Amino acid sequence: MNNSQLYGGIEAGGTKFICVVGSGPENILEKTRIETTVPEETLGKVIRFFQPYTTTGKVTAIGIGCFGPLDLNPDSPTYGFITSTPKPHWSNTDVLGTIRRALKINVAFDMDVNTAALGEFRWGASQGTDPSLYITIGTGIGGGYIKDGKALIGMNNLEMGHIRLPHDLKRDPFPGACPFHGDCFEGLASGPAIEKRFNARGETIRDNDPFWDIEADYIALALSNIILTLSPKRIILGGGIMQRTFLFPLIRLKVLKILNGYVESETLLKNIDEYIVPPALGNRSGSLGAIALAQSFT
Amino acid sequence: MNNSQLYGGIEAGGTKFICVVGSGPENILEKTRIETTVPEETLGKVIRFFQPYTTTGKVTAIGIGCFGPLDLNPDSPTYGFITSTPKPHWSNTDVLGTIRRALKINVAFDMDVNTAALGEFRWGASQGTDPSLYITIGTGIGGGYIKDGKALIGMNNLEMGHIRLPHDLKRDPFPGACPFHGDCFEGLASGPAIEKRFNARGETIRDNDPFWDIEADYIALALSNIILTLSPKRIILGGGIMQRTFLFPLIRLKVLKILNGYVESETLLKNIDEYIVPPALGNRSGSLGAIALAQSFT
């Protein structure tokens, strides 16, 4: 990879598209935020942002980390589409194709959480740590698993936000908010689940509310299951809910208690502060990860 | 790989070691069963079985699929050891080193469930299906995940048998039998858990006992979590409990119900009979997989 070469990165979210041009965290030449309205408008603005770079050959590849659900099967006729999303106007949108045809350059495409995982692996808290995992806990819950330097895709995207967990209805009678599964991990612990439980914005729930111990329990139960199934060498927890940083020590203690010494790893047993960590790139994991994805073309 | 070349395979279990010489399912020249007593005796017999082949150069590589827990970190001084097993005499046994030093040939080493997964991937029910998963449900519960043609090892072995599941104590008041986690998947659904629940050998529980619906629930909940986390293209269910073949259709229906259309895959939604399947190699998955592992040296 040529360090002076520029790449485009798009963090395509349900609220905003963050577009960047650069080559890494120390070298971002231009950045813009585009509201997520309707595909024609939003993608049109994205294309116009990059055109000065692509028509002059300064940028030859773009990476996109996109909100889902996505078709990520390269053999599918709808590869690169957002499929059936509850977000109005965006179902069956050809994100990859629209941008590639307009800009006539290489475009790499993946789930938003996968590019965030890649960004942290390339420049952040899991640099060179393979396999590693990035989990976002916010509006939705999802995880990206980096194995052999790239995000693992199986039959479909990984959807570990929807695993089932023990749910003690006496302690937490909330039935869950997932339209598919009720009380799956996302249905119990995501931002919308918290808002529905309290009938109030999550931001209004104080740090000393006893609910956070329940929230930490769900996160720790889910992480324990994921550690047993994927055995990552480090776990990064991002997303809006993890802005409550007091959750980190609570989650770490609970994971150790749940696993109860079964996973014999020095890192886990003696250095859990370095095993379950916040992102090092803050809210730039996704856009920088999109640049890292674009660099796969070189 | 030279098809006429012979390899050694060892399925090293807590009850018996199955040793084979051959090159694949259609070409097994010799096979023996050695009781698992104490390491000196058992490994001594294993070595003497292979010596006629290794001293003459007919066999130049052996694969071992071993019961755990194991040290599988190649950089560790105890790589290739069985670590702290409850099985008397076998804690801290250098299985890999003992065999390699005695026979002076290449020896490849992995978890028993990983070699079973590899055997099914090479010659059985998941032939060429990548990623794919083999889960054994018997004395213990464990899973091997084949990705890019080999078993995935992360920080440690995968230990998906110990994930936590929803446990309705009113329906199933059994507290679980896992010494580490109580009512984890293995603690609720393994052979020993069933025996402890009934205080009777599992074989004596009739096919029409209502318990099997509960058992199928646990297996389906675990598979759903594992599908969401690893997204395999096929799942093979082996082990003693899956000899009750009536469990297969029950588990398939319950997995579809639990996932509730969330995982958009034709295979899963329309061909689940081909998605969750029994092993094609029967009880030979492990020993043949050990041969496949040995072939990695060529």
Side-chain angles (χ1 to χ4, degrees):
Chain A
M1 177 183 57
N2 180 345
N3 267 323
S4 63
Q5 174 64 51
L6 297 178
Y7 300 87
I10 305 171
E11 183 189 356
T15 308
K16 59 185 189 295
F17 278 48
I18 302 292
C19 300
V20 293
V21 171
S23 62
E26 311 304 330
N27 182 33
I28 295 298
L29 263 70
E30 195 178 346
K31 179 175 176 171
T32 194
R33 177 196 159 111
I34 295 163
E35 299 306 306
T36 308
T37 56
V38 296
E40 296 69 29
E41 185 180 33
T42 304
L43 297 180
K45 286 182 179 173
V46 166
I47 289 161
R48 285 191 292 281
F49 170 78
F50 285 110
Q51 261 162 349
Y53 296 96
T54 55
T55 52
T56 56
K58 284 178 189 159
V59 164
T60 56
I62 286 178
I64 309 175
C66 191
F67 71 100
L70 304 176
D71 184 338
L72 291 178
N73 175 4
D75 300 329
S76 159
T78 55
Y79 173 63
F81 280 52
I82 293 173
T83 58
S84 54
T85 172
K87 182 152 185 75
H89 314 297
W90 286 83
S91 281
N92 302 309
T93 298
D94 182 8
V95 176
L96 169 61
T98 302
I99 291 173
R100 187 160 54 190
R101 280 190 298 272
L103 296 176
K104 298 183 183 66
I105 55 165
N106 288 321
V107 182
F109 188 73
D110 207 341
M111 287 281 285
D112 45 10
V113 71
N114 285 345
T115 52
L118 191 64
E120 290 291 331
F121 174 73
R122 179 83 175 76
W123 292 298
S126 55
Q127 215 171 123
T129 308
D130 198 327
S132 60
L133 187 69
Y134 176 97
I135 298 183
T136 178
I137 305 175
T139 311
I141 299 182
Y145 181 71
I146 301 295
K147 170 70 185 165
D148 298 333
K150 57 180 197 289
L152 190 148
I153 306 286
M155 178 174 69
N156 289 53
N157 320 324
L158 308 187
E159 289 287 358
M160 60 192 87
H162 291 266
I163 61 172
R164 304 298 170 96
L165 303 173
H167 177 196
D168 180 351
L169 282 159
K170 274 186 227 142
R171 183 160 178 242
D172 177 27
F174 180 64
C178 175
F180 286 90
H181 312 118
D183 64 351
C184 67
F185 179 27
E186 180 170 299
L188 288 168
S190 66
I194 295 174
E195 291 187 10
K196 202 170 170 189
R197 193 185 262 106
F198 284 88
N199 197 23
R201 295 277 304 161
E203 292 82 347
T204 65
I205 301 156
R206 296 200 305 190
D207 283 359
N208 63 358
D209 192 291
F211 165 73
W212 294 113
D213 192 66
I214 295 176
E215 175 77 8
D217 272 340
Y218 293 135
I219 296 172
L221 278 164
L223 290 193
S224 302
N225 280 0
I226 292 166
I227 290 167
L228 291 162
T229 310
L230 288 170
S231 195
K233 290 182 179 168
R234 184 164 294 152
I235 299 176
I236 297 164
L237 297 182
I241 289 169
M242 296 313 301
Q243 303 286 321
R244 306 266 184 162
T245 52
F246 67 85
L247 286 171
F248 278 93
L250 209 55
I251 290 165
R252 292 178 186 127
L253 276 177
K254 287 174 188 288
V255 165
L256 287 179
K257 199 173 160 197
I258 292 165
L259 293 176
N260 196 23
Y262 187 76
V263 175
E264 291 185 32
S265 147
E266 291 270 313
T267 316
L268 190 63
L269 297 173
K270 296 190 181 159
N271 282 311
I272 196 159
D273 290 1
E274 294 171 25
Y275 185 69
I276 298 173
V277 298
L281 304 174
N283 60 13
R284 302 199 301 159
S285 317
S287 56
L288 287 168
I291 284 184
L293 189 65
Q295 290 174 340
S296 63
F297 283 112
T298 57
Chain B
M1 178 183 59
N2 180 345
N3 266 322
S4 63
Q5 174 64 51
L6 296 179
Y7 300 87
I10 305 172
E11 184 189 357
T15 309
K16 59 185 188 296
F17 278 47
I18 302 292
C19 301
V20 293
V21 171
S23 62
E26 311 304 330
N27 183 33
I28 295 298
L29 262 71
E30 195 177 347
K31 178 174 179 173
T32 193
R33 178 196 159 112
I34 296 164
E35 299 306 306
T36 309
T37 56
V38 297
E40 297 67 29
E41 184 180 32
T42 304
L43 297 180
K45 286 183 180 173
V46 166
I47 288 161
R48 284 191 291 281
F49 171 77
F50 285 110
Q51 261 162 349
Y53 295 96
T54 55
T55 52
T56 55
K58 286 178 189 156
V59 163
T60 56
I62 286 178
I64 309 175
C66 190
F67 71 100
L70 304 177
D71 184 340
L72 291 178
N73 175 5
D75 300 328
S76 160
T78 54
Y79 174 63
F81 280 51
I82 294 173
T83 58
S84 54
T85 173
K87 183 151 185 78
H89 313 296
W90 285 84
S91 281
N92 302 310
T93 298
D94 182 7
V95 176
L96 170 61
T98 303
I99 291 174
R100 188 161 53 190
R101 281 189 298 272
L103 297 176
K104 299 182 182 65
I105 55 166
N106 286 322
V107 182
F109 188 73
D110 207 341
M111 287 279 286
D112 45 9
V113 71
N114 285 346
T115 52
L118 191 65
E120 289 290 330
F121 175 73
R122 179 83 174 78
W123 292 296
S126 55
Q127 214 171 122
T129 307
D130 198 327
S132 60
L133 188 68
Y134 177 96
I135 298 183
T136 178
I137 304 174
T139 311
I141 299 183
Y145 181 70
I146 301 295
K147 170 70 184 163
D148 298 334
K150 58 182 194 289
L152 190 148
I153 306 285
M155 178 173 70
N156 289 53
N157 320 325
L158 308 187
E159 288 287 358
M160 61 193 87
H162 291 266
I163 61 173
R164 304 297 169 97
L165 304 173
H167 177 196
D168 180 352
L169 282 159
K170 274 186 226 142
R171 184 160 178 242
D172 178 26
F174 180 65
C178 174
F180 286 89
H181 312 118
D183 63 351
C184 67
F185 180 25
E186 181 171 298
L188 287 168
S190 65
I194 296 174
E195 291 186 11
K196 201 168 170 190
R197 193 185 262 108
F198 284 89
N199 197 22
R201 296 277 303 161
E203 292 81 348
T204 64
I205 300 156
R206 295 199 304 189
D207 282 0
N208 64 358
D209 192 290
F211 166 73
W212 294 113
D213 193 64
I214 295 175
E215 175 77 7
D217 272 340
Y218 293 135
I219 296 172
L221 279 164
L223 290 193
S224 302
N225 280 1
I226 291 166
I227 290 167
L228 291 162
T229 310
L230 289 170
S231 195
K233 291 182 179 167
R234 183 163 294 152
I235 298 176
I236 297 164
L237 297 182
I241 288 169
M242 296 312 301
Q243 303 285 321
R244 305 265 184 162
T245 52
F246 67 86
L247 286 172
F248 278 93
L250 209 55
I251 291 165
R252 291 177 187 129
L253 277 177
K254 287 174 189 288
V255 164
L256 287 179
K257 200 173 160 198
I258 293 164
L259 292 176
N260 195 24
Y262 187 76
V263 175
E264 290 185 32
S265 147
E266 291 270 312
T267 316
L268 189 62
L269 297 172
K270 296 190 179 158
N271 281 312
I272 195 159
D273 290 1
E274 293 170 25
Y275 185 69
I276 298 173
V277 299
L281 303 174
N283 60 12
R284 302 200 300 160
S285 316
S287 56
L288 287 167
I291 284 184
L293 189 66
Q295 290 174 340
S296 63
F297 283 112
T298 58

